[in-house]
Amino acid sequence: MQAELKSLETRLKHSRKEKKELEQQLADVERENNILKDGTVLNRRLEQIRELERENQQLRQQPQTAGASLAPDYEAIRDRTLNKLKVGKQSTAGKAIDAFIKELNHGL
């Protein structure tokens, strides 16, 4: 019976040692996996950066005629602002905004 007990204790120690080694191997594999994931994420980011650079270059090559279409819609802004102030176009504020818009458009 004691021999069997010693045998079981020896097997238990051996199993614990194996478990510890396997846990270490698992930790190593998880670290490697995280490194690979980070590499994959970096590769995706790099590809996104390259795509944005290509798009940026294409936009730079387009003619600069799009500037006029990018001008804000001052009248719509005026209408929203006057609506918030609860005044009309013929009010002092409306006339002041119209004069301001006229000066902005004159500068273009």
Side-chain angles (χ1 to χ4, degrees), residues 21-85:
E21 290 172 359
L22 289 172
E23 286 173 344
Q24 183 61 43
Q25 288 176 359
L26 178 62
D28 292 343
V29 167
E30 286 176 346
R31 256 186 259 114
E32 288 178 20
N33 190 27
N34 286 337
I35 289 169
L36 290 173
K37 283 181 184 176
D38 289 345
T40 302
V41 169
L42 290 174
N43 284 336
R44 279 192 220 133
R45 300 279 163 137
L46 185 58
E47 185 54 39
Q48 288 173 341
I49 289 170
R50 287 181 182 141
E51 180 62 32
L52 289 172
E53 286 174 346
R54 283 190 291 270
E55 184 178 336
N56 192 13
Q57 188 173 6
Q58 288 173 352
L59 289 172
R60 284 183 183 163
Q61 291 173 351
Q62 289 179 354
Q64 298 300 322
T65 58
S69 66
L70 296 179
D73 184 2
Y74 295 122
E75 284 75 22
I77 295 169
R78 176 201 59 211
D79 293 342
R80 283 195 309 272
T81 304
L82 293 175
N83 191 28
K84 286 180 187 176
L85 295 171

